[in-house]
Amino acid sequence: MKSSMAVMKKEIDGFSKKEEAWVKKVGELTRRHEIEMNDLKKSFEADKLKLKADREALDVQKKAFDEEKEGLKASVAQATGDNQWLIEQGFHQVVTYILHSNEFNSALGEVYTKLLNYGKHLGLIAGFKLHESGQALEQSPMFRPDASGVFKDSVQQMERLTYPYVSEVSSCFGKPLSILQGLKPARLNETVCAEVLDSLSKKRSRSGDSEETYSENADVSKEASLEGLAVGGDEGPKSKKAKKAKKGKGDGSGASKPLADV
């Protein structure tokens, strides 16, 4: 009996020790679990904060991207509009301004003057008059064998000219289009230019218009420019012809009429 009790007591003590060991082990596991859970919780909170920061940074980048996208859209629209104006109106404006500028028409006036002074028209008139009077052609001040060379030299000189307005147009690269749009050569005939450019604008807006619209206005503007040239003085060629015709009528001579017609 005593031996049985001793065995049972020994077993109970063994169970108690095992229980204490299990309790201790469970406590250690519990503490370790709590530590791990705290670490996981801290890591989760840190990851959550990092994710929030990344999301906020992504929102900032998205906003910046959207702003840049809108800016690019505006830039593309501006570039498209500038390109459209340059193709549809800009080239016309630059060429029109050159054709009606003083720097071009002064050079053209020199050629036009020499065309009249050294050309065949006045030379033929003088030749007919000398022939009618029985004089030799060499006696006429219009007898100029070198006239062709003088006129060709004048034309070549004009072809080699450089125009300040063209240089100013070339310097507009990289600048706002408004600078080119407002750029004008010195002493520009703005009235004629406005009429020509307005005619071109109407022609573009009316697809059914014929080419006559531009041709008629171009002829008018060209005639107005030539009339304004100082050819051999302050008077244009048409005013000189009118004066000659008036003078011929006043003299009543029949010989001057066919010469004027020549």
Side-chain angles (χ1 to χ4, degrees), residues 102 105-106 108-114 116-117 122 187 225-240 243:
N102 180 69
N105 283 311
S106 295
L108 181 61
E110 291 292 328
V111 176
Y112 197 55
T113 299
K114 290 180 180 178
L116 294 178
N117 293 339
L122 296 181
R187 297 174 62 186
S225 297
L226 292 177
E227 284 297 319
L229 296 176
V231 181
D234 295 332
E235 298 178 345
K238 287 197 172 182
S239 61
K240 287 187 174 183
K243 285 188 176 182

Side-chain angles (χ1 to χ4, degrees), residues 85 89-97 165 180-181 183 197:
W85 181 88
Q89 303 179 46
F91 294 140
H92 283 302
Q93 176 173 301
V94 170
V95 173
T96 301
Y97 281 179
Y165 175 66
L180 175 61
Q181 291 174 333
L183 188 63
L197 295 176

Side-chain angles (χ1 to χ4, degrees), residues 99-205:
L99 292 178
H100 298 89
S101 65
N102 180 69
E103 57 193 61
F104 175 79
N105 283 311
S106 295
L108 181 61
E110 291 292 328
V111 176
Y112 197 55
T113 299
K114 290 180 180 178
L115 174 64
L116 294 178
N117 293 339
Y118 290 88
K120 294 181 179 180
H121 183 70
L122 296 181
L124 288 174
I125 293 177
F128 281 129
K129 288 183 177 180
L130 287 174
H131 178 71
E132 289 179 350
S133 62
Q135 300 179 28
L137 295 178
E138 290 78 1
Q139 297 178 1
S140 171
M142 296 300 297
F143 182 73
R144 297 166 182 168
D146 61 337
S148 177
V150 172
F151 178 70
K152 288 180 180 179
D153 291 342
S154 178
V155 173
Q156 291 176 357
Q157 183 179 0
M158 181 180 178
E159 291 175 347
R160 291 191 295 266
L161 284 178
T162 57
Y163 302 101
Y165 175 66
V166 176
S167 300
E168 292 176 0
V169 170
S170 301
S171 67
C172 289
F173 176 75
K175 298 179 181 179
L177 184 64
S178 57
I179 295 179
L180 175 61
Q181 291 174 333
L183 188 63
K184 297 178 182 179
R187 297 174 62 186
L188 176 68
N189 192 337
E190 297 190 27
T191 302
V192 176
C193 288
E195 293 176 358
V196 174
L197 295 176
D198 182 63
S199 172
L200 291 172
S201 177
K202 291 179 179 178
K203 185 174 182 293
R204 283 192 301 270
S205 62

